[in-house]
Amino acid sequence: MTFSLAGVTRRYSVPGDRPRPWRRGVTRTALDGLDLEVPTGRDLAIVGASGSGKSTLLRVLLALEAPDAGTVRFRGDLVTPRAPGALRHAVGVVAQDPASSLDPRLPVGASIREPLECLRVDGDHGARVAQLLDAVGLDPAVAARRPAAFSGGERQRIALARALAAGPEVLVADEPFSAVDPTTRARLVALVDDLTRAGGTQLLLVSHDLGIAQRLCADVAVLDASRVVETGPVATVFARPSADATRALLGAVLPVEWG
Ligand SMILES: Nc1ncnc2c1ncn2[C@@H]1O[C@H](COP(=O)(O)OP(=O)(O)OP(=O)(O)O)[C@@H](O)[C@H]1O
Ligand SMILES: [Mg+2]
């Protein structure tokens, strides 16, 4: 198993609706006793309505946040934010907000190069950075610029280049294609498809685009209201959904022709 989550609960304290300093905030449950197994070598799409807990699930699974209850295992070993073990080195991450994974003070080339240096990857790091920028459709000359000088979609591409830099065994990506134009999206999907098919990288993908989920992943897990409500091979689940939440997601797809 690449990841095993058992009984994972994550709550957040948020301020109440009105400023009432004598009252403690309200608690919001983002994950509620969630169980999920991600078998080795099976690419998994995680889908679900906005607010269902997908990004929280990824943060807990990546041991960036500790759950309030339950356990997270990576390849059988318990992982926590203090003791992530092999997780940090094996996994490349694209966060939903690409700005959060790039240091605003560093030229983007340095951000992409960082995993190469941390993991002491052999070879010419400058050439590798140029190759990665080219692979995501950016001019290698932009490596000297800082993140503020890029659009949201460009930052998303830089975050993907950084996540792929050291050739991760597992790529965990939260909506990595959401901010780019359709042509660039097709290019990035093809790039990730090549890596997962030929390169042996396992993919965990959060996507609102069910077509992309189906193209890139063998399996799907559907989240609804902080729990996994359905899992299985993506073609089976989408053809014969058993959960209401899955039917709602499939039914909400816009028709191609608007009439
Ligand atoms: N840091 C936080 N502080 C307080 N509440 C949070 C925090 N992170 C998430 N939540 C709450 O947890 C719930 C799940 O949020 P999450 O971001 O995991 O949803 P999501 O499925 O990724 O949604 P989207 O598709 O819009 O990205 C939401 O109700 C959200 O408001
Ligand atoms: Mg999210």
Side-chain angles (χ1 to χ4, degrees):
M1 265 324 139
T2 302
F3 291 100
S4 313
L5 283 77
V8 166
T9 295
R10 178 75 173 109
R11 299 187 193 92
Y12 294 104
S13 290
V14 289
D17 292 339
R18 276 182 282 153
R20 282 173 295 183
W22 60 91
R23 274 264 196 113
R24 292 171 71 198
V26 293
T27 300
R28 193 170 284 161
T29 303
L31 301 175
D32 187 7
L34 178 146
D35 298 316
L36 180 68
E37 303 259 270
V38 185
T40 308
R42 299 278 299 178
D43 297 326
L44 177 73
I46 297 167
V47 302
S50 191
S52 56
K54 304 179 299 295
S55 297
T56 306
L57 167 61
L58 292 192
R59 288 194 300 271
V60 170
L61 169 143
L62 291 166
L64 298 170
E65 290 180 12
D68 295 287
T71 55
V72 179
R73 288 176 188 276
F74 177 66
R75 296 180 180 157
D77 296 328
L78 277 175
V79 289
T80 63
R82 283 173 165 220
L87 182 62
R88 292 276 179 272
H89 287 178
V91 180
V93 180
V94 184
Q96 186 167 16
D97 166 18
S100 70
S101 53
L102 300 172
D103 186 333
R105 294 162 302 179
L106 285 184
V108 297
S111 279
I112 298 171
R113 185 193 284 255
E114 210 169 50
L116 300 169
E117 284 163 3
C118 287
L119 301 178
R120 298 199 181 85
V121 175
D122 289 336
D124 180 344
H125 292 178
R128 174 83 180 134
V129 169
Q131 183 210 341
L132 286 157
L133 283 167
D134 184 58
V136 297
L138 293 172
D139 183 342
V142 304
R145 290 203 238 147
R146 282 171 225 286
F150 293 92
S151 72
E154 287 168 338
R155 270 181 235 155
Q156 204 170 34
R157 290 191 258 173
I158 294 161
L160 181 63
R162 175 179 152 91
L164 297 178
E169 293 158 46
V170 185
L171 175 66
V172 177
D174 196 344
E175 291 280 3
F177 317 118
S178 61
V180 295
D181 63 87
T183 310
T184 306
R185 183 171 306 142
R187 177 191 190 122
L188 300 184
V189 170
L191 173 68
V192 172
D193 202 16
D194 282 351
L195 281 169
T196 54
R197 275 176 213 275
T201 302
Q202 185 177 2
L203 176 66
L204 244 77
L205 174 75
V206 166
S207 180
H208 283 298
D209 186 322
L210 302 183
I212 290 178
Q214 183 154 14
R215 163 142 180 221
L216 290 179
C217 299
D219 293 335
V220 64
V222 182
L223 256 69
D224 182 41
S226 316
R227 293 170 192 231
V228 174
V229 292
E230 181 162 14
T231 55
V234 75
T236 313
V237 169
F238 287 177
R240 289 185 294 282
S242 66
D244 288 344
T246 317
R247 274 191 286 273
L249 287 175
L250 290 164
V253 175
L254 283 174
V256 176
E257 292 199 45
W258 291 49

